[in-house]
Amino acid sequence: MTTGSGTVLVVEDEESIADVLAIALRYHRFEVMTAGTVRDALSLAEHTRPDAALLDVMLPDGDGRALGRELRVRRPDLALVFLTARDAPAEIVGALGFGDDYITKPFDVDVVVARLTAVLRRTRPPDVLPQRPPLRYGDLELDETTYSVRRAGRTVELTPTEYALLRFLVRNGGRIVPKDQLLRHVWQYEHTPPESTVVETYISYLRRKLDALGPPVITTRRGVGYGLA
């Protein structure tokens, strides 16, 4: 059985779906809070500190993506996973611009729990972090204690998933990392979805942020994967 730890805020206005998610998460030893509206979710998040939020995109009093942005402003370390019936590429890309995963309905509840666990595993630091030397590559510096990134001495604001991807590339130095390895090690995918573009999407996010502070640093080997210049 998967052993979870931490608190999950489930924001879903369909009670049957919220109940199923809550039961499954509690079975896997997560603490669970539920809300059916944007207003209730913000109130709960204000008085508690969830480690992750499962957010329905279509809520009766607002948009789950806007709620996600507000929660991320209040808690930059909060993991965000979106649940929605919308599966258009533009919807997915937009949500992944600041969220950590995107699951379309109908879904298998065990898959939701597994992917949420994977998100928390790659984004949440342990309760006590040892002091570790920073990772360096060229003018990049990743602080493994504060999970912060600098390029040429200037701070780069990254989401938890963007940080995890960059860290894996830095740890592999100048080597080209195949896409399937990135999916396994960063997204914890055991089986690579053939149609997945999540790696390409996050590489574009990293390039946009890093290239604003210097020459291009991420290289592409078409049909193979990505590395650092």
Side-chain angles (χ1 to χ4, degrees):
M1 184 180 78
T2 302
T3 301
S5 63
T7 302
V8 181
L9 172 60
V10 177
V11 186
E12 169 61 65
D13 63 315
E14 293 189 37
E15 290 187 11
S16 59
I17 296 178
D19 288 345
V20 167
L21 288 169
I23 290 169
L25 288 165
R26 289 181 180 125
Y27 175 77
H28 289 284
R29 302 181 185 177
F30 287 98
E31 296 292 328
V32 181
M33 303 179 294
T34 61
T37 64
V38 171
R39 180 178 179 180
D40 289 347
L42 289 173
S43 178
L44 279 173
E46 183 177 352
H47 297 98
T48 60
R49 289 187 62 82
D51 300 291
L54 284 174
L55 305 177
D56 186 14
V57 169
M58 294 178 284
L59 296 167
D61 60 339
D63 188 307
R65 290 165 301 185
L67 170 61
R69 289 185 185 277
E70 177 63 26
L71 291 173
R72 179 55 62 76
V73 168
R74 297 186 184 192
R75 287 276 312 285
D77 60 333
L78 180 68
L80 298 176
V81 177
F82 292 98
L83 301 172
T84 179
R86 299 175 177 176
D87 59 0
E91 296 277 355
I92 298 173
V93 170
L96 287 177
F98 60 95
D100 299 294
D101 207 344
Y102 190 101
I103 303 171
T104 56
K105 299 177 181 179
F107 51 73
D108 184 309
V109 69
D110 290 331
V111 172
V112 174
V113 174
R115 288 174 65 170
L116 174 66
T117 302
V119 165
L120 286 170
R121 191 161 53 237
R122 70 175 183 260
T123 62
R124 190 180 60 184
D127 291 337
V128 179
L129 286 170
Q131 292 293 326
R132 290 174 287 182
L135 294 174
R136 291 189 173 89
Y137 187 92
D139 61 358
L140 288 173
E141 180 179 299
L142 282 68
D143 190 317
E144 290 279 78
T145 301
T146 64
Y147 284 70
S148 59
V149 177
R150 286 179 291 277
R151 184 173 191 195
R154 298 172 65 183
T155 299
V156 184
E157 297 292 339
L158 299 182
T159 67
T161 300
E162 290 168 350
Y163 178 89
L165 175 57
L166 181 60
R167 177 176 58 187
F168 194 72
L169 291 175
V170 168
R171 283 178 171 172
N172 280 278
R175 293 189 292 272
I176 296 295
V177 182
K179 177 180 173 180
D180 62 341
Q181 285 191 28
L182 291 172
L183 285 167
R184 282 200 304 271
H185 290 277
V186 179
W187 282 270
Q188 308 297 321
Y189 286 172
E190 291 298 328
H191 303 287
T192 304
E195 74 285 356
S196 175
T197 60
V198 68
V199 174
E200 290 84 350
T201 298
Y202 272 90
I203 287 290
S204 70
Y205 296 151
L206 278 178
R207 280 179 168 147
R208 188 179 310 140
K209 294 179 178 182
L210 296 174
D211 293 358
L213 301 176
V217 66
I218 298 176
T219 62
T220 301
R221 181 75 57 84
R222 291 195 178 278
V224 180
Y226 301 91
L228 297 179

